[in-house]
Amino acid sequence: MSSPEHKQKIWNLIKDIKVGMLVTKDDDVPRARPMHLVQDDYDGTIWFYTQRSAEKVIEAKGGSEVCLTFSDPDEGIYVSMSGTARLTEDQDVIDKYWNSEVAAWLPEKEDPEVVMLEIDIQMGEHWASKESKVFQLYEIAKANVKNDKTPDIGENEKFGG
């Protein structure tokens, strides 16, 4: 998996984005929906609140493979993470991450309908470009003219696996 330093790097990329797209499989068809980060750090697991009756719970039950994506085009940040999803009903975990934003979407935290998806990340990839869009376009044009060089538009790194 990833080192603690790399996990911190991933967290620094996604923590301000806040909303990622969770991709599950509805039968054999990939399906994505937005999910809001609730944790204050990242140790290899991402947590999301949901309702027990939600379709994503059915699609992600029993250790199903899922994908999470986070993007901030204005900052040039893109992160894709793949892992396994499990449902947790642990009230201590539900209490740990509960906040006013969650309360706006879900009933009381003691409601049996309130559960969490635990996503254990196994692998992923991230892209980060600190350069402006104009610079990125310049690099792409330069690579096309030279016909022999990949444009240098920022950092790209795979992790886990």
Side-chain angles (χ1 to χ4, degrees), residues 11 14-20 35-40 48 70 101:
W11 181 247
I14 67 173
K15 69 181 180 182
D16 293 330
I17 297 172
K18 291 289 189 198
V19 176
M35 300 293 288
H36 195 276
L37 287 173
V38 294
Q39 61 210 69
D40 296 322
F48 296 118
F70 294 87
E101 290 179 23

Side-chain angles (χ1 to χ4, degrees), residues 102-114:
V102 175
W105 290 98
L106 295 173
E108 294 296 317
K109 63 183 172 180
E110 291 82 14
D111 187 313
E113 184 69 9
V114 175

